[in-house]
Amino acid sequence: MKNKKDKSFFVSTPIYYPSGNLHLGHLFSTTIAWVLKNYKNKLGYKTFFVTGQDEHGLKIQKKSEELNIEPKKYVDSQYELFSNFWKKAKIKYDFYSRTTNSKHKKLINSIFNKLFDKGVIYKGKYVGWYSVQDEEFITEKEAIKKNDKLYHPISNHQLEKIEEESYFFKLSLYQDWLIEYVKNNPNFITPSKIWKELSNNFLKEKLKDLSITRVSFDWGIKIDGDPKHVVYVWLDALFNYISALDYKLENESEKYKFYWNKNESEKIHIIGKEISRFHCIFWPIFLKSLDIKMPTRILTHGWIITKDGKMSKSKGNVINPEELFDKWDPEIVKFFLVSHLNMFEDSVFDENDLLLAYNADLANNIGNLVSRVIKMCLNSFNDPMKFDIKKVNDDDKMMIDKIMITKDNFINLMDAFEIDKAFKKVIILAKELNKYIDITEPWLLNENKERLSTILVILLNGIYSLLTYLDIVMPEKINVFKKIIKIENLTFDEISNFEKFDNILPNPSQMVFPRVKKN
Ligand code: MSP
């Protein structure tokens, strides 16, 4: 069998535009990626998690002009804010991509030259429409017309007319290949409805050649041989995923070989649906044109919306996670995002739901369970209790089965990226454990220590399993519980070993999730 340590898992978030502040939607994408990384670590994989910021393009240039600062100074100052934000959110990454870094810029130039030499890129003139806010070319047919003006069909941003010299990428050369590839790799794009939409919107006709350079502004990666051209920001940005692994055309780095190029290496991009066209059509085609391996999967999650629709500056309903962090530990916010918002559909965020979920799941359900069980252990025993399978009755057996089935369910759902459903199973198991206490009535068993110890050991094992799952999203809170149950490592493998508490009598419990009153 293959050594577990050889298994690799690469996960990325979009690199966010530093032209605005990070909001709850960005935190959602990044939390999903971070949780997947933690999950895979627990399974014994070596993992690489990359996030970052998308620093070039007209949108950033315009923003820095508005503020009257050099674009590089502007993105540097945003880097300070963004990296502090991730620290506050208690999210650690393995690499932070900044597209102004020199190894990335070098890679983009070498790619450009290679594709030009190959005849995939040619020089021409672009005449058409562009959305600066979305950094996207839109055809007249795709655009929405209102009062003689053209607008982006999804974001509604106004389009501007462009007429300028440009290099083009012949997307259509790889169109048939892409369609075939997705057909043969049904997991490549998750959920599959995303591909259906993209096919209907863009692939029914021949793909138009994509403009990949601009000459009317200069904040971007300049083409060495023709420096009045800067590279289209999406071509630039997408390649961050492999420049993060030190990928070079001339020689492959160890990181790239291990996390991307090995056949078995798992590589997942987490994105929001508005950027699926770039990730599911352009990105695979760019990679194919260079004979680079495809990612394993492009995972598109739903949007966080508010009671009055999609978050937008003009509506004034953008949720600032830092304000939430002032009231809630970031671990609680992240727990809520991955357990109570639907992964693949849009979900309404309402802070009141966060409060209700916290009180129900963490304070009442899990917190109470731990304090009840620990109290009973310490009130009745001075020494560890031994587990003996011969002593279990039908109620116990049923509880043990539920603990074991939850493990399979949790792993299966996480492997299918149904993260919210996986955590729902954890909450259900906690309820079942509380119910098991009500059924077995251990408070009546003070005279029957043997029976009492069987029940309490099963409960301790149930708690161990809950903590193992929750450790993936709340490692700091779970550390406190680890000290209570005197266990250092929480692993999936150990869930089935019911003898792990044979030599352990827990420490007194502590309040980890105090109830919060509605104000
Ligand atoms: N810079 C590009 C990405 C380049 S990746 C090579 C970009 N940046 S962005 O700052 O606009 O971030 C977009 C991403 O933020 C979405 O794809 C999604 O991951 C996240 N979200 C932004 N708004 C969101 C919601 N309302 N809800 C959930 N996530 C959303 O596009």
Side-chain angles (χ1 to χ4, degrees):
M1 220 178 87
K2 245 187 136 26
N3 186 331
K4 270 191 178 172
K5 279 285 165 209
D6 287 342
K7 293 205 284 186
S8 69
F9 180 74
F10 169 98
V11 63
S12 66
T13 73
I15 47 171
Y16 306 113
Y17 290 123
S19 46
N21 294 330
L22 291 168
H23 62 59
L24 197 64
H26 304 121
L27 178 66
F28 185 46
S29 292
T30 308
T31 301
I32 292 170
W34 175 78
V35 161
L36 288 173
K37 172 197 161 84
N38 295 343
Y39 166 65
K40 290 288 181 173
N41 275 343
K42 225 178 227 319
L43 287 175
Y45 284 65
K46 276 195 179 154
T47 59
F48 194 88
F49 162 36
V50 52
T51 186
Q53 59 189 54
D54 190 354
E55 302 192 310
H56 289 128
L58 190 51
K59 175 166 158 152
I60 307 295
Q61 175 162 331
K62 283 196 166 167
K63 180 76 188 186
S64 60
E65 279 164 6
E66 246 171 58
L67 299 170
N68 211 2
I69 341 178
E70 286 286 300
K72 180 64 168 70
K73 281 218 172 91
Y74 174 65
V75 296
D76 283 349
S77 66
Q78 286 300 90
Y79 170 64
E80 292 301 315
L81 290 180
F82 282 20
S83 51
N84 273 329
F85 174 82
W86 297 121
K87 252 187 228 138
K88 250 191 213 160
K90 301 182 183 171
I91 288 185
K92 280 199 188 122
Y93 32 78
D94 298 296
F95 188 75
Y96 192 87
S97 270
R98 297 187 59 185
T99 47
T100 50
N101 86 52
S102 60
K103 73 176 182 192
H104 176 79
K105 292 201 284 195
K106 238 170 136 180
L107 175 67
I108 297 296
N109 251 299
S110 60
I111 284 170
F112 191 92
N113 289 337
K114 180 163 175 183
L115 293 177
F116 187 78
D117 292 344
K118 234 177 138 176
V120 179
I121 290 177
Y122 66 94
K123 197 171 183 174
K125 185 176 177 190
Y126 180 78
V127 182
W129 297 90
Y130 193 72
S131 163
V132 178
Q133 284 312 310
D134 303 283
E135 297 284 17
E136 185 169 4
F137 297 97
I138 300 288
T139 63
E140 223 169 308
K141 223 167 116 191
E142 288 158 8
I144 309 274
K145 290 185 193 69
K146 265 185 285 178
N147 308 329
D148 286 340
K149 294 200 173 89
L150 293 186
Y151 296 86
H152 189 286
I154 298 167
S155 69
N156 256 321
H157 292 124
Q158 196 181 330
L159 307 183
E160 47 182 62
K161 182 91 193 248
I162 300 179
E163 199 172 333
E164 64 190 50
E165 185 180 284
S166 176
Y167 285 86
F168 287 87
F169 186 108
K170 295 181 192 164
L171 289 176
S172 58
L173 287 181
Y174 303 95
Q175 183 163 357
D176 292 342
W177 164 82
L178 179 66
I179 293 169
E180 205 48 30
Y181 186 83
V182 177
K183 204 160 103 199
N184 295 333
N185 296 276
N187 291 332
F188 185 49
I189 290 165
T190 306
S192 54
K193 66 180 178 191
I194 296 290
W195 182 247
K196 279 196 200 107
E197 262 174 49
L198 290 171
S199 307
N200 281 337
N201 293 341
F202 303 114
L203 297 172
K204 289 220 161 115
E205 289 166 25
K206 194 172 145 199
L207 281 168
K208 290 204 177 55
D209 294 348
L210 177 70
S211 162
I212 50 157
T213 64
R214 301 285 306 270
V215 292
S216 53
F217 64 93
D218 66 357
W219 181 237
I221 300 178
K222 295 188 172 62
I223 301 300
D224 287 341
D226 200 352
K228 70 174 193 247
H229 286 262
V230 296
V231 173
Y232 174 39
V233 63
W234 270 100
L235 178 87
D236 167 352
L238 285 162
F239 277 95
N240 95 84
Y241 296 135
I242 55 176
S243 69
L245 292 170
D246 299 334
Y247 175 75
K248 293 190 194 86
L249 286 185
E250 45 303 353
N251 61 338
E252 290 171 355
S253 69
E254 289 307 313
K255 263 193 226 150
Y256 172 79
K257 279 193 229 161
F258 185 74
Y259 287 106
W260 195 280
N261 204 34
K262 255 190 321 148
N263 280 335
E264 325 81 286
S265 60
E266 214 178 323
K267 317 160 267 268
I268 314 271
H269 299 304
I270 308 296
I271 61 165
K273 59 185 168 182
E274 80 287 10
I275 59 174
S276 58
R277 178 188 192 179
F278 305 99
H279 283 82
C280 304
I281 299 181
F282 299 169
W283 178 229
I285 287 182
F286 293 158
L287 290 173
K288 178 68 186 165
S289 72
L290 291 158
D291 290 319
I292 297 175
K293 284 217 176 80
M294 293 301 128
T296 326
R297 195 187 292 260
I298 299 156
L299 191 81
T300 304
H301 61 74
W303 276 333
I304 295 185
I305 53 178
T306 67
K307 281 180 280 186
D308 29 58
K310 195 166 185 259
M311 288 189 269
S312 76
K313 269 191 210 147
S314 52
K315 277 193 199 153
N317 61 351
V318 178
I319 300 167
N320 175 0
E322 299 211 38
E323 283 172 19
L324 288 176
F325 296 164
D326 290 340
K327 293 189 248 171
W328 297 95
D329 188 309
E331 291 199 331
I332 307 288
V333 178
K334 290 185 287 181
F335 166 77
F336 179 75
L337 293 180
V338 295
S339 60
H340 283 262
L341 303 188
N342 193 303
M343 266 296 287
F344 300 119
E345 305 291 335
D346 294 352
S347 311
V348 173
F349 177 86
D350 179 344
E351 200 185 330
N352 196 42
D353 293 337
L354 166 59
L355 177 110
L356 293 175
Y358 170 81
N359 277 336
D361 301 343
L362 301 179
N364 290 353
N365 197 359
I366 293 165
N368 244 346
L369 172 73
V370 177
S371 61
R372 278 170 101 185
V373 172
I374 302 292
K375 227 177 256 151
M376 290 190 282
C377 293
L378 298 182
N379 281 347
S380 303
F381 295 91
N382 296 318
D383 296 306
M385 299 154 274
K386 299 247 181 298
F387 178 72
D388 185 348
I389 189 74
K390 292 193 285 300
K391 304 265 164 61
V392 303
N393 69 17
D394 285 352
D395 287 338
D396 305 335
K397 209 181 153 306
M398 225 145 68
M399 193 63 245
I400 292 174
D401 283 350
K402 281 179 187 154
I403 293 171
M404 293 314 301
I405 289 168
T406 302
K407 176 181 153 184
D408 292 343
N409 286 339
F410 183 85
I411 289 179
N412 289 338
L413 286 165
M414 286 298 281
D415 286 347
F417 303 93
E418 301 268 13
I419 303 178
D420 55 320
K421 296 205 174 79
F423 281 102
K424 292 255 160 58
K425 296 282 179 201
V426 176
I427 297 161
I428 291 173
L429 178 65
K431 282 190 191 146
E432 294 287 352
L433 288 160
N434 275 312
K435 222 192 275 166
Y436 172 70
I437 302 183
D438 299 340
I439 294 169
T440 52
E441 302 181 310
W443 52 87
L444 300 178
L445 295 170
N446 244 331
E447 301 309 309
N448 186 352
K449 286 270 160 54
E450 196 181 280
R451 176 78 197 118
L452 182 60
S453 71
T454 301
I455 296 169
L456 291 178
V457 172
I458 291 175
L459 285 163
L460 284 175
N461 277 284
I463 289 171
Y464 176 98
S465 74
L466 297 177
L467 300 181
T468 306
Y469 309 126
L470 294 172
D471 194 28
I472 292 168
V473 60
M474 296 192 277
E476 283 183 11
K477 296 277 178 209
I478 299 309
N479 254 336
V480 182
F481 286 114
K482 279 179 5 192
K483 295 206 176 93
I484 297 172
I485 62 166
K486 297 187 187 154
I487 285 219
E488 268 178 35
N489 287 317
L490 296 161
T491 67
F492 291 124
D493 284 347
E494 272 294 292
I495 289 176
S496 54
N497 167 18
F498 276 65
E499 287 161 14
K500 57 186 160 299
F501 288 98
D502 276 9
N503 296 309
I504 300 174
L505 187 67
N507 280 319
S509 185
Q510 254 171 275
M511 189 74 113
V512 183
F513 300 125
R515 265 188 79 81
V516 173
K517 281 214 187 79
K518 198 176 169 178
N519 50 20

